Amino acid sequence: MHLSTPEQVHLPAGRLFPGRRDLVLPVVDPARLADPVRWAPGVPGDPPDVRFPHLHGPLPTSAVVAVVPYRPPADPVLPRPDDALGRALALSLSLRTRRAAEVRDVPGGIAVLDPRFRYSRDDNRLVLTVPPDAGTVARTAAEVAADAGWPHLAATLTGPGADDVARELAGRGWRAEELLVMARPATPAPPGRRAEPVDQREVHESSGSARGGATCRRPRRRWTSWWPSSSGGSTATPVLAAALNRAADRGCDLVVLEADAIDWPRHWYARRGFEPVGSVREVSAPRAQAGATTDSSR
């Protein structure tokens, strides 16, 4: 299996997939490979002094520590195997990018869009890994929202300066939240009540009735719900146990989640082995606020 170092990946990517910006890079930890890796020349056209790593055997999923979107000319940021925060952020960015109906380049990152679910802030927002100044974030969100018909402005901010940008946007009337990124080893959960997956469509109507008869604006048909297989007691413990067991069964070494930094669930997760490894900022505002926001940022 042909592999590449981070400095080499543009060579096979450009040769095999010229012009494509919807690729992903599986990040492989060489220490987790059971079969030998040998270095050999590439193909005609590659620099003659360059040697590429080749895996002589199957690539186990347990050796892949992250999957990172590859959108040249930007250089991909590849997390180290021991960087829990970096791996968690790579997972979040990868999932948002891969499930988006459209991805646009914006200052400091990307905008993900899905016109089928324009009321969903998960599916329609900016994802900024290098946030520019607050004024640029506000203007960019307003421009994309106006073009795409979003009823809201929303952005996820990570990386250097995210806290300052979120704080300034909060001063302009945006809602700003801190989400703790929490992680724990993917070891099996203790024996107890079980949960089983249920297709979201089977519980969508009941979810709507729980909101007083309101209809969800975004039927999450690509997602799965978990429900206890026996009645009584809290649903949280068996659902978490099922997720941990599934991760362990598939050879994962790390489980990550996000929890509101000022709400009680973070303590519940901490009692179950999750430790904070960092945080992200999420900011949002009604689109009706866009005019005032952009005016004040000029």
Side-chain angles (χ1 to χ4, degrees):
M1 178 177 292
H2 178 98
L3 303 175
S4 300
T5 67
E7 298 77 21
Q8 298 171 332
V9 71
H10 67 283
L11 293 172
R15 181 175 63 251
L16 298 174
F17 305 101
R20 292 279 294 271
R21 305 187 72 236
D22 58 347
L23 307 177
V24 296
L25 302 178
V27 182
V28 179
D29 179 7
R32 306 184 189 198
L33 298 175
D35 293 292
V37 174
R38 299 189 178 97
W39 295 76
V43 300
D46 286 334
D49 58 338
V50 171
R51 298 292 184 269
F52 291 88
H54 291 78
L55 173 63
H56 289 255
L59 175 61
T61 55
S62 58
V64 178
V65 298
V67 178
V68 176
Y70 182 56
R71 295 178 58 79
D75 292 328
V77 178
L78 308 182
R80 302 185 312 275
D82 60 350
D83 181 6
L85 176 60
R87 292 175 62 184
L89 296 180
L91 173 64
S92 177
L93 177 63
S94 177
L95 289 177
R96 290 186 189 277
T97 303
R98 284 185 286 162
R99 79 181 186 187
E102 180 185 354
V103 180
R104 300 182 186 178
D105 293 310
V106 298
I110 59 173
V112 293
L113 305 91
D114 195 328
R116 298 170 298 175
F117 312 114
R118 66 189 185 95
Y119 288 93
S120 168
R121 297 186 184 189
D122 275 343
D123 295 279
N124 298 279
R125 64 168 50 237
L126 308 184
V127 184
L128 307 180
T129 54
V130 186
D133 61 276
T136 301
V137 174
R139 285 195 300 273
T140 303
E143 291 166 0
V144 177
D147 181 64
W150 296 350
H152 61 265
L153 313 177
T156 297
L157 311 176
T158 64
D163 291 352
D164 293 337
V165 173
R167 191 177 302 111
E168 184 173 345
L169 288 171
R172 301 181 182 200
W174 288 53
R175 179 181 180 183
E177 301 175 278
E178 181 185 7
L179 298 180
L180 290 181
V181 179
M182 307 183 73
R184 61 154 282 174
T187 52
R193 296 174 60 229
R194 296 184 304 160
E196 56 188 20
V198 178
D199 191 289
Q200 181 69 24
R201 288 170 290 190
E202 298 182 28
V203 298
H204 179 60
E205 293 303 324
S206 62
S207 297
S209 62
R211 294 174 173 82
T215 301
C216 294
R217 292 189 183 275
R218 191 232 198 277
R220 296 174 176 173
R221 293 191 176 91
R222 290 172 291 175
W223 295 4
T224 300
S225 292
W226 290 80
W227 291 86
S229 56
S230 58
S231 60
S234 168
T235 63
T237 297
V239 168
L240 179 61
L244 292 173
N245 291 338
R246 173 168 284 199
D249 289 345
R250 281 157 176 74
C252 300
D253 68 311
L254 186 70
V255 177
V256 296
L257 55 83
E258 293 176 351
D260 193 318
I262 60 173
D263 205 356
W264 65 266
R266 72 188 193 281
H267 302 299
W268 188 87
Y269 290 121
R271 292 195 296 271
R272 284 149 183 83
F274 286 88
E275 297 182 356
V277 294
S279 64
V280 301
R281 297 284 180 167
E282 294 206 339
V283 294
S284 61
R287 185 178 160 194
Q289 187 176 319
T293 301
T294 52
D295 288 342
S296 65
S297 62
R298 290 194 179 102

